[in-house]
Amino acid sequence: MTSPPKIKVLFLDDEPNNVASFKAAFRLDFKVLTATTASEAERLLELHPDIHVVLSDQRMPGKTGAEFLHDIQQRFPLPVRILVTGYTDIESVIQAINQGRIFRYIAKPWIEQDVRSALQEAYQYYTTYSLLMQNNEELRTANEELDQFAHNLTHDIRGPIVSALGATDILQESDNLYEIREIAAMMRASLQKLDNYVADLNDFYLLKRTLLQKSDIWFEAIAADMQRIFSMQALLHQITFSTQVVQESAFPGYEVPLRIILTNLLDNAFRYQRPEELHKEVKLLIKVGAKETVIEVSDNGAGIDKEHLQQVFQLFYRASNYRPGSGFGLYNVQTALKKLNGRIEVHSECNKGTTFILFIPAQ
Amino acid sequence: MTHDLHRFFDFIVIDDSRLDLIIAQKMLRRMNADFSVQTYDQAALALDFVKERNIPEGVLRTVLLVDVRMPLMDGFAFMEQFSQLPEELRRHYVPCMLTSSISEYDRTRAENMPVVHAFLNKPPDAAVLEALLIGYVKDNALTLPVS
């Protein structure tokens, strides 16, 4: 017989003999937990959130099995509930099924094979149901994001277009070359914003909707690419960009989300500088371990206000008035991090700079 | 009446986009070259100004053209704060939303704020604004002192 994944079962019966015989019959093929009182059973449910099936005897002092199964429904919605009862209790079985959303009832004295197949089916139901719950949760998130999109769409996409349109009116009527040039530069910035938005949107969907390819990552190559991507900005704004990689062996992971995270964090670091700072700096430090890679992106720029620090990872949140942002950047960072099971820390002080520290586990 | 509108109204435009501030300013000046227009790229600064400024004299009303989506303090937050100001100060202002948003949600939300006088779409339309201003003068029976 193929060994199925160990199904975790909780069996509740006030008769110690019944408990013992249940355990004896099924402990080899199932992970069996047992209890002789309802409160003990509830404690076990708390301690073991991964219990798949709960069986309860109907006739117990204090609480009936049907009542018990009904009571645990709210707090422990996932385990599948089975009532064990004699034929004489048919009334209570009907009540239990109606009230307690019982998956099945097993007649006493139970036949081993029946219980076995009931447990298998209950487990199947459990996995289907949890998958459904998970899908529902994903669907809910997707819907929320969609709502937010629809709501932001008019502003984030229509905004720059409307500005550019308004600007053409001025251009058409102006004879002042200086003014025309100034307006044209602003139009350009406005359209650039729209273009950035589309690029970020693309990243957003790349992260959400595509399967990731695992590969051996060598961070020197990524760091070199980042040097290349940001060399223009570094030159233009006289920012010293230094990268350092400490890596001895290949790091198994997903490269696409990593690149998205780094470009976004570096982009912020380059963007939020202080013009008056004479030695503008952006640093990328990557330390690769066997189990975890730690990446630090730091700058000595504008920093983030304490009151905004909590919100910077929200979709469309913008903490600055002076720099163009799509409101996507750090949200994309966080989505990418989730894909990598990583976490992020941010340390920031106004007018001192910001450091993001990423912890990425090996896949 | 159009050529007299500057005697009834001056303007404060609040928008985080510098380009949109210029566009609004040009539109207003084209409508009436004598309009006085101030611009703010941060709502909080505009609010401070409104709080500390002396109440405009006579029949002069100040139209606030406020963008909806701005970082930090957005248009709604501005209106919320503005509505907390004393009535004798507020009555000298005509607060309007001016936004690129064509979302029903934003419109409904603005319409549910009693303090918001009008919800206008970008790009700002001189004819729409002019009709709105003339309507305001009539509705409030504003008259110019005989000189």
Side-chain angles (χ1 to χ4, degrees):
Chain A
M1 201 177 130
T2 55
S3 64
K6 276 268 183 180
I7 302 173
K8 207 164 184 177
V9 178
L10 171 62
F11 183 79
L12 166 64
D13 195 319
D14 61 312
E15 279 287 331
N17 286 340
N18 288 348
V19 169
S21 64
F22 185 90
K23 204 166 188 171
F26 301 107
R27 72 184 163 82
L28 288 181
D29 297 321
F30 302 92
K31 243 183 215 161
V32 178
L33 300 168
T34 59
T36 51
T37 64
S39 55
E40 195 186 340
E42 280 179 43
R43 208 166 37 248
L44 285 170
L45 279 165
E46 257 165 36
L47 284 172
H48 303 266
D50 55 341
I51 287 174
H52 301 113
V53 190
V54 182
L55 297 101
S56 173
D57 182 39
Q58 166 65 2
R59 286 200 181 175
M60 294 183 294
K63 227 181 219 181
T64 68
E67 280 166 353
F68 166 74
L69 292 175
H70 173 78
D71 289 352
I72 61 169
Q73 214 186 132
Q74 281 291 334
R75 271 169 67 209
F76 311 102
L78 281 181
V80 179
R81 293 171 294 276
I82 295 179
L83 190 68
V84 183
T85 177
Y87 283 117
T88 48
D89 291 327
I90 197 69
E91 274 303 316
S92 59
V93 170
I94 293 170
Q95 199 192 355
I97 289 173
N98 289 343
Q99 283 182 0
R101 299 210 339 255
I102 305 294
F103 173 70
R104 175 137 326 163
Y105 83 91
I106 292 172
K108 258 171 140 178
W110 40 262
I111 299 161
E112 199 177 309
Q113 193 47 46
D114 286 356
V115 176
R116 216 171 270 280
S117 67
L119 289 178
Q120 296 285 1
E121 281 164 36
Y123 178 69
Q124 264 173 25
Y125 181 82
Y126 177 93
T127 45
T128 318
Y129 183 71
S130 352
L131 202 67
L132 196 69
M133 295 293 278
Q134 198 188 329
N135 286 348
N136 271 346
E137 180 58 29
E138 280 169 17
L139 209 58
R140 207 180 50 78
T141 315
N143 259 334
E144 268 174 19
E145 281 167 0
L146 204 62
D147 273 357
Q148 222 168 2
F149 264 122
H151 177 57
N152 285 281
L153 198 67
T154 60
H155 185 270
D156 293 333
I157 294 183
R158 192 168 181 265
I161 297 175
V162 166
S163 300
L165 275 176
T168 56
D169 279 351
I170 301 177
L171 292 184
Q172 274 175 333
E173 286 180 19
S174 177
D175 297 322
N176 179 340
L177 193 60
Y178 174 78
E179 183 182 63
I180 290 175
R181 289 214 173 112
E182 199 192 358
I183 298 289
M186 282 191 238
M187 269 176 83
R188 192 193 153 76
S190 184
L191 293 173
Q192 185 66 55
K193 201 167 141 184
L194 187 61
D195 193 38
N196 290 347
Y197 185 86
V198 174
D200 285 345
L201 187 64
N202 189 47
D203 277 355
F204 179 84
Y205 272 98
L206 197 67
L207 283 170
K208 287 275 170 186
R209 297 285 171 250
T210 46
L211 279 176
L212 297 175
Q213 300 277 347
K214 195 154 96 177
S215 63
D216 280 344
I217 296 175
W218 290 96
F219 283 92
E220 276 298 353
I222 295 182
D225 277 351
M226 295 300 148
Q227 280 283 3
R228 192 176 46 75
I229 293 171
F230 290 99
S231 60
M232 207 47 160
Q233 286 201 52
L235 195 70
L236 217 59
H237 303 288
Q238 294 179 313
I239 299 167
T240 313
F241 180 28
S242 57
T243 57
Q244 194 195 342
V245 178
V246 185
Q247 180 171 26
E248 279 164 9
S249 54
F251 185 76
Y254 301 116
E255 200 165 324
V256 171
L258 265 174
R259 282 177 181 272
I260 289 175
I261 292 171
L262 288 181
T263 32
N264 271 299
L265 292 181
L266 286 170
D267 195 48
N268 280 350
F270 276 97
R271 224 193 274 254
Y272 300 103
Q273 290 287 335
R274 283 170 301 139
E276 68 275 18
E277 170 66 49
L278 290 177
H279 306 284
K280 302 188 188 78
E281 270 184 326
V282 173
K283 288 186 203 158
L284 171 64
L285 173 63
I286 303 175
K287 275 186 266 179
V288 185
K291 289 191 175 147
E292 188 179 61
T293 289
V294 180
I295 303 176
E296 264 185 57
V297 177
S298 55
D299 63 69
N300 59 351
I304 308 168
D305 256 339
K306 262 212 178 72
E307 54 174 319
H308 302 300
L309 212 50
Q310 296 304 315
Q311 291 149 291
V312 293
F313 289 104
Q314 283 172 15
L315 186 55
F316 301 122
Y317 188 79
R318 289 173 55 209
S320 164
N321 205 44
Y322 287 111
R323 301 293 168 150
S326 63
F328 257 121
L330 287 179
Y331 184 79
N332 275 350
V333 166
Q334 207 165 44
T335 312
L337 260 183
K338 250 186 219 161
K339 292 255 168 185
L340 302 171
N341 287 319
R343 66 190 173 83
I344 192 164
E345 277 176 15
V346 50
H347 306 279
S348 191
E349 207 176 318
C350 263
N351 296 323
K352 288 270 173 66
T354 305
T355 301
F356 284 96
I357 309 175
L358 300 155
F359 302 88
I360 315 283
Q363 301 296 323
Chain B
M1 186 196 272
T2 310
H3 59 278
D4 267 342
L5 277 176
H6 66 278
R7 298 174 73 185
F8 291 104
F9 299 104
D10 66 354
F11 297 84
I12 297 177
V13 189
I14 306 165
D15 199 312
D16 62 317
S17 155
R18 256 181 69 219
L19 181 54
D20 286 0
L21 288 176
I22 293 177
I23 291 169
Q25 199 170 19
K26 295 260 174 198
M27 182 273 294
L28 292 168
R29 288 268 162 72
R30 239 181 302 160
M31 198 166 128
N32 183 325
D34 293 324
F35 274 154
S36 141
V37 183
Q38 290 193 63
T39 59
Y40 284 91
D41 66 357
Q42 286 190 58
L45 295 182
L47 190 70
D48 287 345
F49 173 78
V50 167
K51 280 185 197 163
E52 282 156 25
R53 177 200 199 198
N54 292 326
I55 289 174
E57 278 174 27
V59 292
L60 191 69
R61 299 289 181 268
T62 301
V63 180
L64 302 169
L65 295 174
V66 188
D67 185 27
V68 171
R69 291 281 310 269
M70 293 181 282
L72 307 181
M73 183 187 279
D74 69 5
F76 289 115
F78 175 89
M79 291 297 183
E80 190 60 50
Q81 301 249 330
F82 178 82
S83 68
Q84 311 287 319
L85 299 178
E87 149 71 19
E88 65 267 26
L89 189 148
R90 268 188 293 133
R91 54 188 292 263
H92 294 278
Y93 288 86
V94 188
C96 303
M97 293 290 200
L98 175 62
T99 173
S100 65
S101 169
I102 41 176
S103 128
E104 266 313 297
Y105 172 81
D106 283 341
R107 178 178 287 277
T108 316
R109 197 172 156 197
E111 277 166 1
N112 285 332
M113 293 181 106
V115 67
V116 178
H117 184 72
F119 186 89
L120 306 171
N121 276 121
K122 281 183 194 172
D125 185 325
V128 171
L129 190 66
E130 190 177 321
L132 188 126
L133 298 178
I134 291 172
Y136 186 93
V137 171
K138 287 190 176 141
D139 291 348
N140 292 275
L142 299 183
T143 48
L144 291 172
V146 186
S147 50

